[in-house]
Amino acid sequence: MSFITGVGLTAFGRHEGSSSLDLMSKAAELAVADAGLTRAEIDGVLCGYSTVAPHIMLATVFAEHFGIRPTYAHAVQVGGATGLAMTMLAHHLVKARVVRHVLVVSGENRLTGQSRDASILALAQVGHPDYEVPLGPTIPAYYGLVASRYMHEYGVTEEDLAEFAVLMRKHALAHPGAQFHEPITVTDVMKSKPVALPLKLLDCCPVSDGGAAFVVSRERTSETGVRVLGCAQAHTHQHVTAAPALSELGAEIAIARAKQAAGVAISDVRYAAVYDSFTITLVMLLEDLGLAARGEAAARVRSGYFRRGGEMPLNTHGGVLRYGHCGVGGAMAHLVETQLQMTGRAGNRQVRDASIALLHGDGGVLSSHVSMFLELTR
Amino acid sequence: MSHGKRALADWTTGAEAIVYQSCAACGSLQYFHRSFCRACGAPDPIEKRASGEGTVYAASLVVRAATPETRAHVPYNIVLVDTVEGFRMMAHGDNDLAIGDRVTARFSQFAGRLVPYFARTKIMRVRSASRRKHESFTASKR
């Protein structure tokens, strides 16, 4: 068994003067304290990457900086799926009794540490160096391509996509750590600057500074435990040019395997945390995961289904779309929020029932997927 | 550059051609050059020159670019084209291309490089709505 015993999250936005290591340390400190542990008790470290300060041994660098000597440590890189991939690995490491407490940590000063152009350029390199990158695509363009096809096949409109930006902003309003605190409307999204059509500025996640961390332990460290029920991955391609048909995408493969590993059905899920780098990402993943039928996700947003008080509260912190996106830590905030919801500590954002949660992360251009189910145990 | 020797030059090395590979053992096609077939692993797939004919599978008009060189070209349309030969490729295309349009390749200069560029196949020009600007880009809604 494995439990998410502690979580830590910084505010996202501008952290002028903070390095990636600073942000990692801040989040790690919060998570270790939240788990009721001391630094010396952490014997495993998994960390993501920083595009601002790339390093071939980031976990070791972090461990030295943070002042710990783990018996197991390395970095993991799977783009937006990194956070959940690390959680999955931590789950298996503690289950296999390799370590007792794994600190999963990431942080990056992506907003103030480099220019927006540099961020966009760094991320565009997920494209093929010979056959894609010379054409000048950006990450929004890769997802713009996917969006154009998905909208064509399933009759999804730009207004439908906009609903998700509005919902995430609404949720972010209730979180003091979120990067954005002004409400927006569908019209605002439709009128926002075109980036890579059909995606406009408000369909895209921002670039942020921030850090996130959690501790995955063999035993619970407090009365309420959040247990990893089961998880699975799928990797179908790297480049959008080589992506399979929309009906064969990795999210469906990953969720099918995760359901089997966890022994649960989608109907058991009470809270959803789904990666949302762009509005189209969220729409497609919700429909791939079975949280909405094909082409119906937007209707479910309009009916309030994914709201805090709805049947399936979704990304109640605002997701990477509106809480912010600092790289690996961005998607980790989904898990931090889920753990807070499950343990009844989400304050003004608290949902009625988050006893079973579904998390899903995606890296690349819907390339790498991790699905995970968590369960509250008392 | 990719591994393995290339028999035919293509746009990735500055020649006005689109080249793909075909496996003599299993018949699979691949666009990204490799020294083996990705489907069956057989070595040395045969290089072939594509006709440049295809159908638009997806399109995204880039308005926000990330470098001074690419910014000089905005807006530019990134398209995925399903070629008549049966492989998919990324290229540039006319700004008003819509999914399902039959297209023909030529080559153009982009940020100091030669890139494949697709325009509607001539016979289709009659029903072209090329006056549409990017604000009314509706390829995805059809």
mmCIF file with all atom_site columns, all heavy atoms in Angstrom, chain A residues 1 25 31 43 63 96 106-107 124 146 156 161 187 189 207 211 219 225 254-255 286 305 308 328 337 341 374:
data_model
loop_
_atom_site.group_PDB
_atom_site.id
_atom_site.type_symbol
_atom_site.label_atom_id
_atom_site.label_alt_id
_atom_site.label_comp_id
_atom_site.label_asym_id
_atom_site.label_entity_id
_atom_site.label_seq_id
_atom_site.pdbx_PDB_ins_code
_atom_site.Cartn_x
_atom_site.Cartn_y
_atom_site.Cartn_z
_atom_site.occupancy
_atom_site.B_iso_or_equiv
_atom_site.pdbx_formal_charge
_atom_site.auth_seq_id
_atom_site.auth_comp_id
_atom_site.auth_asym_id
_atom_site.auth_atom_id
_atom_site.pdbx_PDB_model_num
ATOM 1   N N   . MET A 1 1   ? 0.841   -1.196 0.000   1.00 0.00 ? 1   MET A N   1
ATOM 2   C CA  . MET A 1 1   ? 0.000   0.000  0.000   1.00 0.00 ? 1   MET A CA  1
ATOM 3   C C   . MET A 1 1   ? 0.873   1.242  0.000   1.00 0.00 ? 1   MET A C   1
ATOM 4   O O   . MET A 1 1   ? 2.007   1.213  0.438   1.00 0.00 ? 1   MET A O   1
ATOM 5   C CB  . MET A 1 1   ? -0.880  0.007  1.261   1.00 0.00 ? 1   MET A CB  1
ATOM 6   C CG  . MET A 1 1   ? -1.951  -1.054 1.202   1.00 0.00 ? 1   MET A CG  1
ATOM 7   S SD  . MET A 1 1   ? -3.531  -0.456 1.788   1.00 0.00 ? 1   MET A SD  1
ATOM 8   C CE  . MET A 1 1   ? -3.433  -0.924 3.505   1.00 0.00 ? 1   MET A CE  1
ATOM 9   N N   . SER A 1 25  ? 12.358  23.826 -2.709  1.00 0.00 ? 25  SER A N   1
ATOM 10  C CA  . SER A 1 25  ? 12.597  23.701 -1.267  1.00 0.00 ? 25  SER A CA  1
ATOM 11  C C   . SER A 1 25  ? 11.390  24.164 -0.461  1.00 0.00 ? 25  SER A C   1
ATOM 12  O O   . SER A 1 25  ? 11.012  23.546 0.537   1.00 0.00 ? 25  SER A O   1
ATOM 13  C CB  . SER A 1 25  ? 13.821  24.526 -0.853  1.00 0.00 ? 25  SER A CB  1
ATOM 14  O OG  . SER A 1 25  ? 14.944  24.102 -1.585  1.00 0.00 ? 25  SER A OG  1
ATOM 15  N N   . ALA A 1 31  ? 5.434   20.152 2.399   1.00 0.00 ? 31  ALA A N   1
ATOM 16  C CA  . ALA A 1 31  ? 4.937   18.775 2.270   1.00 0.00 ? 31  ALA A CA  1
ATOM 17  C C   . ALA A 1 31  ? 5.451   17.887 3.399   1.00 0.00 ? 31  ALA A C   1
ATOM 18  O O   . ALA A 1 31  ? 4.703   17.080 3.964   1.00 0.00 ? 31  ALA A O   1
ATOM 19  C CB  . ALA A 1 31  ? 5.340   18.199 0.909   1.00 0.00 ? 31  ALA A CB  1
ATOM 20  N N   . ASP A 1 43  ? 13.580  9.145  2.805   1.00 0.00 ? 43  ASP A N   1
ATOM 21  C CA  . ASP A 1 43  ? 14.671  8.323  2.273   1.00 0.00 ? 43  ASP A CA  1
ATOM 22  C C   . ASP A 1 43  ? 14.624  8.164  0.751   1.00 0.00 ? 43  ASP A C   1
ATOM 23  O O   . ASP A 1 43  ? 15.480  7.525  0.158   1.00 0.00 ? 43  ASP A O   1
ATOM 24  C CB  . ASP A 1 43  ? 14.747  6.959  2.978   1.00 0.00 ? 43  ASP A CB  1
ATOM 25  C CG  . ASP A 1 43  ? 13.423  6.221  2.996   1.00 0.00 ? 43  ASP A CG  1
ATOM 26  O OD1 . ASP A 1 43  ? 12.429  6.777  2.495   1.00 0.00 ? 43  ASP A OD1 1
ATOM 27  O OD2 . ASP A 1 43  ? 13.385  5.083  3.507   1.00 0.00 ? 43  ASP A OD2 1
ATOM 28  N N   . ALA A 1 63  ? 18.659  17.337 -3.235  1.00 0.00 ? 63  ALA A N   1
ATOM 29  C CA  . ALA A 1 63  ? 18.860  16.671 -1.936  1.00 0.00 ? 63  ALA A CA  1
ATOM 30  C C   . ALA A 1 63  ? 19.959  17.370 -1.141  1.00 0.00 ? 63  ALA A C   1
ATOM 31  O O   . ALA A 1 63  ? 19.804  17.633 0.053   1.00 0.00 ? 63  ALA A O   1
ATOM 32  C CB  . ALA A 1 63  ? 19.202  15.198 -2.151  1.00 0.00 ? 63  ALA A CB  1
ATOM 33  N N   . ALA A 1 96  ? 7.196   -1.844 -2.839  1.00 0.00 ? 96  ALA A N   1
ATOM 34  C CA  . ALA A 1 96  ? 8.256   -2.849 -2.963  1.00 0.00 ? 96  ALA A CA  1
ATOM 35  C C   . ALA A 1 96  ? 9.256   -2.757 -1.802  1.00 0.00 ? 96  ALA A C   1
ATOM 36  O O   . ALA A 1 96  ? 10.260  -3.457 -1.789  1.00 0.00 ? 96  ALA A O   1
ATOM 37  C CB  . ALA A 1 96  ? 8.973   -2.684 -4.296  1.00 0.00 ? 96  ALA A CB  1
ATOM 38  N N   . SER A 1 106 ? 8.808   19.356 -7.282  1.00 0.00 ? 106 SER A N   1
ATOM 39  C CA  . SER A 1 106 ? 9.190   20.106 -8.466  1.00 0.00 ? 106 SER A CA  1
ATOM 40  C C   . SER A 1 106 ? 8.906   21.591 -8.276  1.00 0.00 ? 106 SER A C   1
ATOM 41  O O   . SER A 1 106 ? 8.004   21.961 -7.524  1.00 0.00 ? 106 SER A O   1
ATOM 42  C CB  . SER A 1 106 ? 8.446   19.595 -9.697  1.00 0.00 ? 106 SER A CB  1
ATOM 43  O OG  . SER A 1 106 ? 9.154   19.964 -10.847 1.00 0.00 ? 106 SER A OG  1
ATOM 44  N N   . GLY A 1 107 ? 9.681   22.412 -8.944  1.00 0.00 ? 107 GLY A N   1
ATOM 45  C CA  . GLY A 1 107 ? 9.472   23.847 -8.863  1.00 0.00 ? 107 GLY A CA  1
ATOM 46  C C   . GLY A 1 107 ? 10.268  24.521 -9.945  1.00 0.00 ? 107 GLY A C   1
ATOM 47  O O   . GLY A 1 107 ? 11.306  24.008 -10.371 1.00 0.00 ? 107 GLY A O   1
ATOM 48  N N   . ALA A 1 124 ? 8.434   24.016 -27.458 1.00 0.00 ? 124 ALA A N   1
ATOM 49  C CA  . ALA A 1 124 ? 8.184   23.616 -28.848 1.00 0.00 ? 124 ALA A CA  1
ATOM 50  C C   . ALA A 1 124 ? 9.112   22.483 -29.259 1.00 0.00 ? 124 ALA A C   1
ATOM 51  O O   . ALA A 1 124 ? 8.849   21.776 -30.233 1.00 0.00 ? 124 ALA A O   1
ATOM 52  C CB  . ALA A 1 124 ? 8.356   24.805 -29.790 1.00 0.00 ? 124 ALA A CB  1
ATOM 53  N N   . VAL A 1 146 ? -4.596  19.425 -33.032 1.00 0.00 ? 146 VAL A N   1
ATOM 54  C CA  . VAL A 1 146 ? -5.437  18.394 -32.433 1.00 0.00 ? 146 VAL A CA  1
ATOM 55  C C   . VAL A 1 146 ? -6.861  18.936 -32.237 1.00 0.00 ? 146 VAL A C   1
ATOM 56  O O   . VAL A 1 146 ? -7.848  18.253 -32.520 1.00 0.00 ? 146 VAL A O   1
ATOM 57  C CB  . VAL A 1 146 ? -4.833  17.951 -31.082 1.00 0.00 ? 146 VAL A CB  1
ATOM 58  C CG1 . VAL A 1 146 ? -5.775  17.002 -30.364 1.00 0.00 ? 146 VAL A CG1 1
ATOM 59  C CG2 . VAL A 1 146 ? -3.474  17.290 -31.288 1.00 0.00 ? 146 VAL A CG2 1
ATOM 60  N N   . VAL A 1 156 ? -17.482 19.938 -31.712 1.00 0.00 ? 156 VAL A N   1
ATOM 61  C CA  . VAL A 1 156 ? -17.180 20.840 -30.600 1.00 0.00 ? 156 VAL A CA  1
ATOM 62  C C   . VAL A 1 156 ? -16.893 22.233 -31.172 1.00 0.00 ? 156 VAL A C   1
ATOM 63  O O   . VAL A 1 156 ? -16.238 22.356 -32.204 1.00 0.00 ? 156 VAL A O   1
ATOM 64  C CB  . VAL A 1 156 ? -15.967 20.309 -29.807 1.00 0.00 ? 156 VAL A CB  1
ATOM 65  C CG1 . VAL A 1 156 ? -15.523 21.290 -28.735 1.00 0.00 ? 156 VAL A CG1 1
ATOM 66  C CG2 . VAL A 1 156 ? -16.282 18.948 -29.200 1.00 0.00 ? 156 VAL A CG2 1
ATOM 67  N N   . LEU A 1 161 ? -15.130 25.209 -25.989 1.00 0.00 ? 161 LEU A N   1
ATOM 68  C CA  . LEU A 1 161 ? -13.811 25.224 -25.354 1.00 0.00 ? 161 LEU A CA  1
ATOM 69  C C   . LEU A 1 161 ? -13.750 26.344 -24.315 1.00 0.00 ? 161 LEU A C   1
ATOM 70  O O   . LEU A 1 161 ? -13.231 26.152 -23.206 1.00 0.00 ? 161 LEU A O   1
ATOM 71  C CB  . LEU A 1 161 ? -12.703 25.444 -26.395 1.00 0.00 ? 161 LEU A CB  1
ATOM 72  C CG  . LEU A 1 161 ? -12.510 24.384 -27.489 1.00 0.00 ? 161 LEU A CG  1
ATOM 73  C CD1 . LEU A 1 161 ? -11.294 24.743 -28.339 1.00 0.00 ? 161 LEU A CD1 1
ATOM 74  C CD2 . LEU A 1 161 ? -12.320 22.999 -26.897 1.00 0.00 ? 161 LEU A CD2 1
ATOM 75  N N   . THR A 1 187 ? -17.376 35.320 -23.699 1.00 0.00 ? 187 THR A N   1
ATOM 76  C CA  . THR A 1 187 ? -17.073 36.390 -24.654 1.00 0.00 ? 187 THR A CA  1
ATOM 77  C C   . THR A 1 187 ? -15.628 36.856 -24.509 1.00 0.00 ? 187 THR A C   1
ATOM 78  O O   . THR A 1 187 ? -14.944 37.091 -25.504 1.00 0.00 ? 187 THR A O   1
ATOM 79  C CB  . THR A 1 187 ? -18.034 37.585 -24.424 1.00 0.00 ? 187 THR A CB  1
ATOM 80  O OG1 . THR A 1 187 ? -19.355 37.069 -24.330 1.00 0.00 ? 187 THR A OG1 1
ATOM 81  C CG2 . THR A 1 187 ? -17.950 38.598 -25.543 1.00 0.00 ? 187 THR A CG2 1
ATOM 82  N N   . VAL A 1 189 ? -13.123 35.093 -23.540 1.00 0.00 ? 189 VAL A N   1
ATOM 83  C CA  . VAL A 1 189 ? -12.256 34.060 -24.131 1.00 0.00 ? 189 VAL A CA  1
ATOM 84  C C   . VAL A 1 189 ? -12.287 34.173 -25.648 1.00 0.00 ? 189 VAL A C   1
ATOM 85  O O   . VAL A 1 189 ? -11.245 34.169 -26.313 1.00 0.00 ? 189 VAL A O   1
ATOM 86  C CB  . VAL A 1 189 ? -12.698 32.640 -23.692 1.00 0.00 ? 189 VAL A CB  1
ATOM 87  C CG1 . VAL A 1 189 ? -11.763 31.592 -24.283 1.00 0.00 ? 189 VAL A CG1 1
ATOM 88  C CG2 . VAL A 1 189 ? -12.738 32.525 -22.173 1.00 0.00 ? 189 VAL A CG2 1
ATOM 89  N N   . VAL A 1 207 ? 2.311   31.001 -18.203 1.00 0.00 ? 207 VAL A N   1
ATOM 90  C CA  . VAL A 1 207 ? 3.635   30.608 -17.721 1.00 0.00 ? 207 VAL A CA  1
ATOM 91  C C   . VAL A 1 207 ? 3.755   31.174 -16.303 1.00 0.00 ? 207 VAL A C   1
ATOM 92  O O   . VAL A 1 207 ? 3.410   32.329 -16.077 1.00 0.00 ? 207 VAL A O   1
ATOM 93  C CB  . VAL A 1 207 ? 4.738   31.182 -18.630 1.00 0.00 ? 207 VAL A CB  1
ATOM 94  C CG1 . VAL A 1 207 ? 6.111   30.867 -18.077 1.00 0.00 ? 207 VAL A CG1 1
ATOM 95  C CG2 . VAL A 1 207 ? 4.592   30.643 -20.046 1.00 0.00 ? 207 VAL A CG2 1
ATOM 96  N N   . GLY A 1 211 ? 6.022   26.125 -7.043  1.00 0.00 ? 211 GLY A N   1
ATOM 97  C CA  . GLY A 1 211 ? 6.555   24.837 -6.639  1.00 0.00 ? 211 GLY A CA  1
ATOM 98  C C   . GLY A 1 211 ? 5.468   23.984 -6.021  1.00 0.00 ? 211 GLY A C   1
ATOM 99  O O   . GLY A 1 211 ? 4.495   24.508 -5.465  1.00 0.00 ? 211 GLY A O   1
ATOM 100 N N   . GLU A 1 219 ? 3.203   3.748  5.074   1.00 0.00 ? 219 GLU A N   1
ATOM 101 C CA  . GLU A 1 219 ? 2.077   3.751  6.016   1.00 0.00 ? 219 GLU A CA  1
ATOM 102 C C   . GLU A 1 219 ? 1.571   5.173  6.149   1.00 0.00 ? 219 GLU A C   1
ATOM 103 O O   . GLU A 1 219 ? 2.301   6.124  5.916   1.00 0.00 ? 219 GLU A O   1
ATOM 104 C CB  . GLU A 1 219 ? 2.520   3.254  7.401   1.00 0.00 ? 219 GLU A CB  1
ATOM 105 C CG  . GLU A 1 219 ? 2.899   1.793  7.462   1.00 0.00 ? 219 GLU A CG  1
ATOM 106 C CD  . GLU A 1 219 ? 4.410   1.589  7.560   1.00 0.00 ? 219 GLU A CD  1
ATOM 107 O OE1 . GLU A 1 219 ? 5.086   2.522  8.067   1.00 0.00 ? 219 GLU A OE1 1
ATOM 108 O OE2 . GLU A 1 219 ? 4.903   0.537  7.120   1.00 0.00 ? 219 GLU A OE2 1
ATOM 109 N N   . GLY A 1 225 ? -6.180  8.747  5.779   1.00 0.00 ? 225 GLY A N   1
ATOM 110 C CA  . GLY A 1 225 ? -5.160  8.392  4.794   1.00 0.00 ? 225 GLY A CA  1
ATOM 111 C C   . GLY A 1 225 ? -5.713  8.494  3.389   1.00 0.00 ? 225 GLY A C   1
ATOM 112 O O   . GLY A 1 225 ? -6.868  8.172  3.144   1.00 0.00 ? 225 GLY A O   1
ATOM 113 N N   . ALA A 1 254 ? -4.699  4.177  -20.908 1.00 0.00 ? 254 ALA A N   1
ATOM 114 C CA  . ALA A 1 254 ? -4.238  4.332  -19.528 1.00 0.00 ? 254 ALA A CA  1
ATOM 115 C C   . ALA A 1 254 ? -5.383  4.167  -18.537 1.00 0.00 ? 254 ALA A C   1
ATOM 116 O O   . ALA A 1 254 ? -5.245  3.480  -17.514 1.00 0.00 ? 254 ALA A O   1
ATOM 117 C CB  . ALA A 1 254 ? -3.564  5.695  -19.345 1.00 0.00 ? 254 ALA A CB  1
ATOM 118 N N   . ILE A 1 255 ? -6.536  4.764  -18.831 1.00 0.00 ? 255 ILE A N   1
ATOM 119 C CA  . ILE A 1 255 ? -7.646  4.698  -17.872 1.00 0.00 ? 255 ILE A CA  1
ATOM 120 C C   . ILE A 1 255 ? -8.190  3.272  -17.781 1.00 0.00 ? 255 ILE A C   1
ATOM 121 O O   . ILE A 1 255 ? -8.546  2.806  -16.690 1.00 0.00 ? 255 ILE A O   1
ATOM 122 C CB  . ILE A 1 255 ? -8.765  5.720  -18.200 1.00 0.00 ? 255 ILE A CB  1
ATOM 123 C CG1 . ILE A 1 255 ? -9.816  5.785  -17.085 1.00 0.00 ? 255 ILE A CG1 1
ATOM 124 C CG2 . ILE A 1 255 ? -9.459  5.407  -19.516 1.00 0.00 ? 255 ILE A CG2 1
ATOM 125 C CD1 . ILE A 1 255 ? -9.346  6.391  -15.816 1.00 0.00 ? 255 ILE A CD1 1
ATOM 126 N N   . LEU A 1 286 ? -11.369 14.577 -20.663 1.00 0.00 ? 286 LEU A N   1
ATOM 127 C CA  . LEU A 1 286 ? -12.614 14.255 -19.957 1.00 0.00 ? 286 LEU A CA  1
ATOM 128 C C   . LEU A 1 286 ? -13.418 13.231 -20.750 1.00 0.00 ? 286 LEU A C   1
ATOM 129 O O   . LEU A 1 286 ? -13.982 12.290 -20.186 1.00 0.00 ? 286 LEU A O   1
ATOM 130 C CB  . LEU A 1 286 ? -13.454 15.521 -19.737 1.00 0.00 ? 286 LEU A CB  1
ATOM 131 C CG  . LEU A 1 286 ? -12.942 16.487 -18.668 1.00 0.00 ? 286 LEU A CG  1
ATOM 132 C CD1 . LEU A 1 286 ? -13.734 17.794 -18.705 1.00 0.00 ? 286 LEU A CD1 1
ATOM 133 C CD2 . LEU A 1 286 ? -13.023 15.867 -17.275 1.00 0.00 ? 286 LEU A CD2 1
ATOM 134 N N   . TYR A 1 305 ? -22.118 20.439 -13.840 1.00 0.00 ? 305 TYR A N   1
ATOM 135 C CA  . TYR A 1 305 ? -21.670 19.100 -13.439 1.00 0.00 ? 305 TYR A CA  1
ATOM 136 C C   . TYR A 1 305 ? -20.265 19.107 -12.824 1.00 0.00 ? 305 TYR A C   1
ATOM 137 O O   . TYR A 1 305 ? -19.997 18.386 -11.869 1.00 0.00 ? 305 TYR A O   1
ATOM 138 C CB  . TYR A 1 305 ? -21.699 18.211 -14.676 1.00 0.00 ? 305 TYR A CB  1
ATOM 139 C CG  . TYR A 1 305 ? -21.442 16.747 -14.449 1.00 0.00 ? 305 TYR A CG  1
ATOM 140 C CD1 . TYR A 1 305 ? -22.447 15.903 -14.000 1.00 0.00 ? 305 TYR A CD1 1
ATOM 141 C CD2 . TYR A 1 305 ? -20.186 16.193 -14.722 1.00 0.00 ? 305 TYR A CD2 1
ATOM 142 C CE1 . TYR A 1 305 ? -22.223 14.548 -13.813 1.00 0.00 ? 305 TYR A CE1 1
ATOM 143 C CE2 . TYR A 1 305 ? -19.951 14.830 -14.545 1.00 0.00 ? 305 TYR A CE2 1
ATOM 144 C CZ  . TYR A 1 305 ? -20.977 14.010 -14.096 1.00 0.00 ? 305 TYR A CZ  1
ATOM 145 O OH  . TYR A 1 305 ? -20.742 12.680 -13.927 1.00 0.00 ? 305 TYR A OH  1
ATOM 146 N N   . ARG A 1 308 ? -17.735 23.138 -8.228  1.00 0.00 ? 308 ARG A N   1
ATOM 147 C CA  . ARG A 1 308 ? -17.447 22.745 -6.851  1.00 0.00 ? 308 ARG A CA  1
ATOM 148 C C   . ARG A 1 308 ? -18.631 22.011 -6.231  1.00 0.00 ? 308 ARG A C   1
ATOM 149 O O   . ARG A 1 308 ? -18.467 21.027 -5.530  1.00 0.00 ? 308 ARG A O   1
ATOM 150 C CB  . ARG A 1 308 ? -17.107 23.997 -6.044  1.00 0.00 ? 308 ARG A CB  1
ATOM 151 C CG  . ARG A 1 308 ? -16.326 23.735 -4.814  1.00 0.00 ? 308 ARG A CG  1
ATOM 152 C CD  . ARG A 1 308 ? -15.532 24.955 -4.413  1.00 0.00 ? 308 ARG A CD  1
ATOM 153 N NE  . ARG A 1 308 ? -16.397 26.109 -4.213  1.00 0.00 ? 308 ARG A NE  1
ATOM 154 C CZ  . ARG A 1 308 ? -16.157 27.317 -4.701  1.00 0.00 ? 308 ARG A CZ  1
ATOM 155 N NH1 . ARG A 1 308 ? -15.075 27.527 -5.417  1.00 0.00 ? 308 ARG A NH1 1
ATOM 156 N NH2 . ARG A 1 308 ? -16.978 28.312 -4.474  1.00 0.00 ? 308 ARG A NH2 1
ATOM 157 N N   . VAL A 1 328 ? 6.504   21.067 -14.298 1.00 0.00 ? 328 VAL A N   1
ATOM 158 C CA  . VAL A 1 328 ? 6.112   19.842 -13.605 1.00 0.00 ? 328 VAL A CA  1
ATOM 159 C C   . VAL A 1 328 ? 5.226   20.143 -12.381 1.00 0.00 ? 328 VAL A C   1
ATOM 160 O O   . VAL A 1 328 ? 4.237   19.459 -12.125 1.00 0.00 ? 328 VAL A O   1
ATOM 161 C CB  . VAL A 1 328 ? 7.361   19.040 -13.190 1.00 0.00 ? 328 VAL A CB  1
ATOM 162 C CG1 . VAL A 1 328 ? 6.979   17.835 -12.348 1.00 0.00 ? 328 VAL A CG1 1
ATOM 163 C CG2 . VAL A 1 328 ? 8.136   18.604 -14.432 1.00 0.00 ? 328 VAL A CG2 1
ATOM 164 N N   . GLU A 1 337 ? -4.263  19.598 -4.555  1.00 0.00 ? 337 GLU A N   1
ATOM 165 C CA  . GLU A 1 337 ? -5.649  20.007 -4.324  1.00 0.00 ? 337 GLU A CA  1
ATOM 166 C C   . GLU A 1 337 ? -6.532  18.787 -4.039  1.00 0.00 ? 337 GLU A C   1
ATOM 167 O O   . GLU A 1 337 ? -7.399  18.831 -3.156  1.00 0.00 ? 337 GLU A O   1
ATOM 168 C CB  . GLU A 1 337 ? -6.175  20.775 -5.540  1.00 0.00 ? 337 GLU A CB  1
ATOM 169 C CG  . GLU A 1 337 ? -7.634  21.195 -5.462  1.00 0.00 ? 337 GLU A CG  1
ATOM 170 C CD  . GLU A 1 337 ? -7.898  22.349 -4.478  1.00 0.00 ? 337 GLU A CD  1
ATOM 171 O OE1 . GLU A 1 337 ? -6.942  22.811 -3.838  1.00 0.00 ? 337 GLU A OE1 1
ATOM 172 O OE2 . GLU A 1 337 ? -9.072  22.765 -4.366  1.00 0.00 ? 337 GLU A OE2 1
ATOM 173 N N   . GLN A 1 341 ? -8.780  18.109 -0.739  1.00 0.00 ? 341 GLN A N   1
ATOM 174 C CA  . GLN A 1 341 ? -10.224 17.839 -0.840  1.00 0.00 ? 341 GLN A CA  1
ATOM 175 C C   . GLN A 1 341 ? -10.571 16.520 -0.147  1.00 0.00 ? 341 GLN A C   1
ATOM 176 O O   . GLN A 1 341 ? -11.549 16.428 0.582   1.00 0.00 ? 341 GLN A O   1
ATOM 177 C CB  . GLN A 1 341 ? -10.662 17.782 -2.317  1.00 0.00 ? 341 GLN A CB  1
ATOM 178 C CG  . GLN A 1 341 ? -10.669 19.123 -3.034  1.00 0.00 ? 341 GLN A CG  1
ATOM 179 C CD  . GLN A 1 341 ? -11.829 20.020 -2.603  1.00 0.00 ? 341 GLN A CD  1
ATOM 180 O OE1 . GLN A 1 341 ? -12.611 19.693 -1.700  1.00 0.00 ? 341 GLN A OE1 1
ATOM 181 N NE2 . GLN A 1 341 ? -11.945 21.183 -3.242  1.00 0.00 ? 341 GLN A NE2 1
ATOM 182 N N   . LEU A 1 374 ? -7.278  7.503  -6.385  1.00 0.00 ? 374 LEU A N   1
ATOM 183 C CA  . LEU A 1 374 ? -6.958  7.630  -4.966  1.00 0.00 ? 374 LEU A CA  1
ATOM 184 C C   . LEU A 1 374 ? -8.224  7.365  -4.166  1.00 0.00 ? 374 LEU A C   1
ATOM 185 O O   . LEU A 1 374 ? -9.330  7.677  -4.612  1.00 0.00 ? 374 LEU A O   1
ATOM 186 C CB  . LEU A 1 374 ? -6.447  9.047  -4.641  1.00 0.00 ? 374 LEU A CB  1
ATOM 187 C CG  . LEU A 1 374 ? -5.186  9.536  -5.346  1.00 0.00 ? 374 LEU A CG  1
ATOM 188 C CD1 . LEU A 1 374 ? -4.863  10.966 -4.903  1.00 0.00 ? 374 LEU A CD1 1
ATOM 189 C CD2 . LEU A 1 374 ? -4.005  8.619  -5.060  1.00 0.00 ? 374 LEU A CD2 1
#
